[in-house]
Amino acid sequence: MSLSQRFFFAKVAQFEISRSDYFFFDTTNYYMYLAGNTESDLAQTGKSKEGRYWLRQVGLALLVARDTGLPFFYREYEGNCHDSKVFQCVLEDVLDAMRKYGRQDVTVVLDKGMNSEDGMAVIDAMDGVHFVTSYSTYFAEELIHVDREKFIVVDTEKNRRLRELGREDDQLTAWRSTGEYWGQTRTVIVTYPPLTASKQRYKFEKKMRTLQSVLYEIRSKVRSKSAQWRNEDTIRERYRNICRDLYLPDSLYDLSFTVKSGGLVMSFRKNYYRIARHIDRFGKNVLITDRIDWSTDEIVRASRDRYMVEQSFRQTKDHDLVNMRPMRHWTDSKIRYHILCCIVALSYLRLLELRLAKAGLKLSAATTMQQMRALHSCLCWNAGARKATRKLEEPSDAQAQILKAMGYGVSSGVLQKLAI
């Protein structure tokens, strides 16, 4: 961590009411609109979730405190670096920040992209440091197909709201067990949110209709003996490519080929067993932790609270707030200073929300900024006066509450500090 970063986070720590018990760590990428030749080593082309492999990107790793939502560590890195490698590189700095700004017993909440043998071994070797991480369902077949009757309702704020609305069937449920992961016995929890599963089921059925239509077209071309549709291996490869484009496994349909009258004949049918196994995966999330002393509710809430770091990333990509992108810099030093300024802005926005919450106002930074942009000033030129005076217009009730929370008020068009 640079000297400027250490100084800034030390100042941020002064605003904390209490020391955090656990932190959220995650990474994201920002696209760069740079020419092909640049002096930057940070801006690199790499794998992109949006498929923009031709654009350079810079990665950002961020650590956020749970109780305040304030960032306490960040690190910029090359855009072509995998999340797990980034986590291993910054792990010691992350743990140092947690122990410096947190309590004696702290927990870091991670995404499944950070999981690695080496990273978990470092955490295990640290006294008073624990983890909660998600785990890919594709490596946990024995967990996601557990009978849903064994799942129990989790005590979360959203579940309480659903019960008040009479929507008990939509509540998040979970099943708890133990297993051997990264060389030790861990607590394992599988969660099932029905609403998320329903949305995924709807998208899946839409993709299956698309795949079925494509298979009908392929069968028609095979029947007509069209060129390029006469070889079984070629057709199967094209089918696999179509499934890959739709993000579907190629085992959901069984394709068969026979030769009749000197020509190739294709038929296909649904594999209902594979389809049922695939659907059973929808919505489910696997959590692994070394916190065997925590209840299921506590572990699930810790994982779901990770939205706080994701919310911070969304703010950095908001053009009206932090505006991390587009980065129009050519050198790594300028890119780093640009990111530092954005992290400072992100912290001030969160401090603003905390200040308002302390005054009883549950307003987001975006809403607050939108309200205050509408508070205008004007020049008033009174008759006989040699100079114009600037005055604020009368604030609305919402604007007056925000100003009061910040310790100010408007009297006769003049902004004045309120007496404490």
Side-chain angles (χ1 to χ4, degrees):
M1 189 182 297
S2 67
L3 181 62
S4 57
Q5 291 177 358
R6 288 197 297 269
F7 175 78
F8 173 68
F9 289 126
K11 287 293 185 182
V12 170
Q14 296 177 3
F15 292 94
E16 276 204 284
I17 301 173
S18 62
R19 298 175 72 84
S20 300
D21 51 357
Y22 58 88
F23 295 76
F24 308 105
F25 181 84
D26 206 352
T27 61
T28 190
N29 288 325
Y30 302 92
Y31 295 112
M32 310 281 293
Y33 296 93
L34 298 175
N37 296 323
T38 175
E39 300 176 19
S40 174
D41 293 325
L42 289 172
Q44 298 291 331
T45 57
K47 186 177 181 181
S48 167
K49 293 180 181 179
E50 300 177 16
R52 301 180 179 181
Y53 303 112
W54 63 91
L55 289 178
R56 291 175 178 266
Q57 53 189 354
V58 173
L60 177 67
L62 187 65
L63 181 73
V64 173
R66 176 239 183 183
D67 55 349
T68 61
L70 288 168
F72 281 101
F73 171 84
Y74 78 89
R75 176 69 59 81
E76 61 284 309
Y77 62 91
E78 296 83 356
N80 58 357
C81 190
H82 192 271
D83 290 350
S84 61
K85 293 182 179 179
V86 173
F87 183 59
Q88 292 181 47
C89 292
V90 303
L91 180 55
E92 291 188 4
D93 291 334
V94 168
L95 298 181
D96 286 341
M98 289 172 57
R99 288 181 295 188
K100 184 175 181 180
Y101 302 114
R103 298 175 182 172
Q104 292 183 350
D105 194 66
V106 292
T107 302
V108 58
V109 184
L110 309 167
D111 187 34
K112 55 180 172 287
M114 315 294 174
N115 298 339
S116 68
E117 290 280 352
D118 295 337
M120 296 305 168
V122 173
I123 295 178
D124 288 335
M126 295 281 185
D127 292 331
V129 179
H130 307 274
F131 71 88
V132 176
T133 182
S134 56
Y135 192 77
S136 176
T137 57
Y138 288 94
F139 300 111
E141 289 290 333
E142 73 283 0
L143 296 176
I144 61 174
H145 299 302
V146 173
D147 187 356
R148 206 171 302 159
E149 294 295 327
K150 297 181 179 180
F151 285 61
I152 61 174
V153 175
V154 182
D155 182 23
T156 64
E157 183 179 348
K158 185 174 182 180
N159 276 357
R160 290 192 288 269
R161 291 200 304 268
L162 290 172
R163 284 196 296 271
E164 292 174 358
L165 296 173
R167 296 168 53 186
E168 287 81 3
D169 292 340
D170 293 335
Q171 295 180 97
L172 174 72
T173 58
W175 172 77
R176 181 170 183 156
S177 182
T178 59
E180 291 288 330
Y181 294 90
W182 305 297
Q184 293 192 29
T185 301
R186 317 286 188 178
T187 297
V188 180
I189 293 177
V190 182
T191 61
Y192 176 74
L195 293 176
T196 303
S198 298
K199 293 177 182 179
Q200 292 180 357
R201 178 70 180 268
Y202 173 78
K203 293 179 180 178
F204 170 73
E205 291 176 350
K206 186 177 180 180
K207 289 181 180 180
M208 286 294 286
R209 289 193 294 269
T210 301
L211 181 59
Q212 187 180 52
S213 299
V214 173
L215 285 172
Y216 278 125
E217 293 179 7
I218 293 175
R219 188 177 67 178
S220 176
K221 292 179 180 179
V222 172
R223 283 179 176 177
S224 63
K225 300 180 181 180
S226 301
Q228 310 298 327
W229 297 95
R230 301 172 184 174
N231 182 275
E232 177 181 341
D233 293 336
T234 302
I235 296 172
R236 288 187 181 276
E237 181 61 28
R238 290 178 178 175
Y239 166 72
R240 286 191 289 269
N241 290 335
I242 293 169
C243 292
R244 195 177 300 116
D245 293 339
L246 291 172
Y247 297 98
L248 290 174
D250 57 18
S251 59
L252 303 182
Y253 272 94
D254 293 329
L255 277 61
S256 59
F257 296 86
T258 58
V259 178
K260 292 183 180 180
S261 302
L264 191 66
V265 177
M266 170 189 162
S267 61
F268 59 90
R269 64 177 181 176
K270 291 181 178 179
N271 188 322
Y272 288 99
Y273 172 77
R274 293 293 181 186
I275 291 174
R277 298 281 285 185
H278 185 71
I279 291 175
D280 197 28
R281 184 187 303 275
F282 290 169
K284 291 180 179 175
N285 187 31
V286 178
L287 306 177
I288 299 177
T289 178
D290 63 342
R291 302 289 330 217
I292 59 176
D293 56 321
W294 280 11
S295 67
T296 300
D297 296 338
E298 288 176 309
I299 296 171
V300 173
R301 284 197 294 263
S303 175
R304 294 182 70 83
D305 283 346
R306 202 172 60 85
Y307 79 90
M308 297 178 71
V309 67
E310 296 170 351
Q311 184 180 46
S312 296
F313 284 142
R314 284 194 292 271
Q315 283 188 330
T316 62
K317 297 176 182 180
D318 191 320
H319 293 289
D320 293 330
L321 295 175
V322 179
N323 200 12
M324 183 81 79
R325 62 183 185 185
M327 296 186 193
R328 304 188 185 275
H329 304 289
W330 293 79
T331 61
D332 289 341
S333 60
K334 291 182 179 179
I335 291 174
R336 288 192 173 95
Y337 278 119
H338 174 77
I339 293 176
L340 173 60
C341 292
C342 292
I343 295 297
V344 172
L346 177 67
S347 301
Y348 273 114
L349 290 173
R350 184 57 192 149
L351 288 170
L352 172 62
E353 292 174 343
L354 292 173
R355 182 77 173 268
L356 295 175
K358 189 176 180 180
L361 298 178
K362 294 184 178 180
L363 296 175
S364 67
T367 301
T368 303
M369 299 295 285
Q370 184 178 9
Q371 285 284 346
M372 299 311 295
R373 286 194 190 101
L375 182 60
H376 303 111
S377 65
C378 59
L379 287 174
C380 298
W381 208 307
N382 297 323
R386 299 182 61 183
K387 293 183 179 180
T389 58
R390 183 172 295 277
K391 291 188 176 183
L392 289 173
E393 63 182 8
E394 189 68 24
S396 64
D397 291 340
Q399 292 168 345
Q401 288 179 340
I402 294 171
L403 287 171
K404 184 179 179 180
M406 303 303 294
Y408 289 91
V410 176
S411 177
S412 301
V414 179
L415 183 67
Q416 297 180 352
K417 195 167 184 177
L418 299 177
I420 300 177

